[in-house]
Amino acid sequence: MSLTKLSIHQFRNIASASLNFNSKINVIVGANGSGKTSLLEAIYFLGLGRSFRTHLTSRVVTYEAKAFTLFSEIIHHKNPIPIGLQKSKSGETLLKINGAYCKKLANLTQYLPVQLITPESYNLLTGSPKNRRAFLDWGVFYHDPNFYPNWSRIKRLLKQRNAALKQCKTYNELQVWDNELCVLSDQISSQRQAYFDLLIPVINQTLQDFLPDFSITSQFFCGWDKNNKSLQQYLQDNFERDKQLGYTSAGPQKSDLRFKVKGVPVSDALSRGQLKLFVYALRLAQGLFLNSFDNKQCVFLIDDFSSELDQDRQQILAKHIINSDAQIFVSVIKQENIDMLFGQERTVFHVEHGKITVE
Ligand SMILES: Nc1ncnc2c1ncn2[C@@H]1O[C@H](COP(=O)(O)OP(=O)(O)O)[C@@H](O)[C@H]1O
Ligand SMILES: [Mg+2]
């Protein structure tokens, strides 16, 4: 899977651009504020149907404009698929995939598996469990086709259960939700666990190059202590507490990944530069996994490539991403070192005040 063509209209400070991409390495060069992150954001939008900087479409559409439009060609299992997406400030969305209008933005996700790495990516390790669940679920989504239906169903169920929780007086009134909830929770947890068990060796392999001096343990927490009691029992026992909280405090919506060095969470044990390297290793491992286990290619968006990495680490990172068989979009402020890091087989784009030219 790769993005071969992209036309952008009125997206952030990019008024109009029509680009042909390299199927391997694309380097985006530009000064601060030129529009590099905006270009990556447009690609991310095609992959996931949303931005990584804001939930508000009105922020993404060019200030004076009404809507942004993206036209693209994506190679999906060797076939070129045209995809068009338009989103207006007033809330309308038009999505056309391979000539047919689609109602759901979620339909986009199967075409372009996008992995994003930004200078803030260490939030994956220092931020809330939600970030780590999103990381894990990205991989499970592409690995196991039964995961998404389970996950969407449980999201709806939990919403209904939380609403009912506020109104009911006894636990028995919740039982109707919990029977299905518990079956689905067990399925989702097994799907996540199975994927993570397969991913761990790939993570460990990648870590040998990125952080060779540390022995990092990785563990999946399913959202409740399975060895202690069943989820059904937890839900029943926590009824009064959950009622006060107004939400369900145990279940797959609380699952997490725990990474430790000598028993200490990595967020406390590693420096910021090391945390960044760890996140690179995690995301690369998912890209490698997708390629070797799921036979799909990942698209890496790497914003501010060299940020806080010394030259040796930059070299290691570049070597890994080049070898990953993924398509890569990497933004840099200065062009120096591009040849050393990425070789000659790459396309360089220059961005200046939202205007994008190919070298
Ligand atoms: N909705 C918008 N319309 C027009 N310009 C915008 C909009 N949102 C942000 N910008 C501007 O776009 C420019 C490019 O931002 P960005 O892509 O983050 O730059 P870079 O990553 O190259 O530093 C910035 O000057 C920013 O102020
Ligand atoms: Mg930027």
Side-chain angles (χ1 to χ4, degrees), residues 32-33 36-38 53 303-304 331:
N32 284 324
K36 302 181 298 300
T37 306
S38 302
R53 296 205 275 193
D303 203 10
D304 286 330
S331 84

Side-chain angles (χ1 to χ4, degrees), residues 246-260:
Y247 61 84
T248 310
S249 61
Q253 75 285 8
K254 292 284 160 189
S255 82
D256 199 358
L257 297 176
R258 292 169 179 168
F259 301 107
K260 292 184 177 172

Side-chain angles (χ1 to χ4, degrees), residues 28-242:
I28 301 150
V29 189
N32 284 324
S34 57
K36 302 181 298 300
T37 306
S38 302
L39 173 54
L40 297 181
E41 193 180 18
I43 299 171
Y44 188 92
F45 228 113
L46 271 176
L48 285 105
R50 59 184 163 85
S51 161
F52 55 85
R53 296 205 275 193
T54 176
H55 293 296
L56 305 172
T57 308
S58 57
R59 300 279 154 83
V60 178
V61 177
T62 302
Y63 294 139
E64 298 78 21
K66 290 200 171 95
F68 76 73
T69 314
L70 305 171
F71 287 115
S72 67
E73 182 188 81
I74 285 168
I75 305 295
H76 184 252
H77 297 306
K78 303 210 166 93
N79 300 313
I81 310 267
I83 296 183
L85 172 66
Q86 183 172 75
K87 270 182 96 68
S88 73
K89 277 182 179 161
S90 52
E92 288 105 36
T93 300
L94 271 182
L95 171 64
K96 210 172 179 182
I97 301 177
N98 215 4
Y101 283 103
C102 285
K103 283 228 165 76
K104 284 190 181 166
L105 276 175
N107 287 334
L108 273 175
T109 45
Q110 57 182 300
Y111 293 97
L112 206 61
V114 168
Q115 279 281 359
L116 171 77
I117 301 174
T118 73
E120 291 80 40
S121 284
Y122 62 90
N123 285 343
L124 174 62
L125 300 164
T126 56
S128 81
K130 194 174 163 205
N131 301 346
R132 289 177 291 282
R133 277 197 299 278
F135 165 79
L136 178 68
D137 287 351
W138 183 96
V140 194
F141 172 83
Y142 290 109
H143 181 62
D144 183 342
N146 296 320
F147 178 70
Y148 183 69
N150 281 349
W151 182 84
S152 348
R153 175 78 191 125
I154 210 158
K155 247 177 79 172
R156 285 233 314 275
L157 265 179
L158 275 165
K159 237 182 172 168
Q160 292 166 336
R161 185 189 196 267
N162 286 342
L165 189 63
K166 290 178 188 130
Q167 279 156 25
C168 68
K169 299 212 165 50
T170 64
Y171 175 71
N172 284 347
E173 294 169 58
L174 283 183
Q175 196 89 41
V176 295
W177 310 112
D178 288 359
N179 291 338
E180 190 184 352
L181 191 74
C182 291
V183 172
L184 273 176
S185 297
D186 281 332
Q187 283 176 12
I188 285 179
S189 297
S190 307
Q191 289 170 314
R192 283 173 166 164
Q193 180 81 61
Y195 169 75
F196 195 57
D197 287 347
L198 291 170
L199 182 68
I200 286 177
V202 191
I203 294 175
N204 289 342
Q205 183 71 38
T206 322
L207 277 174
Q208 277 177 15
D209 261 2
F210 281 83
L211 290 167
D213 302 333
F214 293 90
S215 167
I216 298 177
T217 58
S218 316
Q219 204 194 358
F220 168 65
F221 168 64
C222 75
W224 70 98
D225 185 357
K226 256 186 172 164
N227 299 327
N228 192 10
K229 48 187 164 183
S230 68
L231 180 60
Q232 184 95 48
Q233 196 62 51
Y234 264 105
L235 295 174
Q236 195 163 350
D237 294 351
N238 286 353
F239 172 65
E240 288 299 337
R241 192 171 152 251
D242 285 359

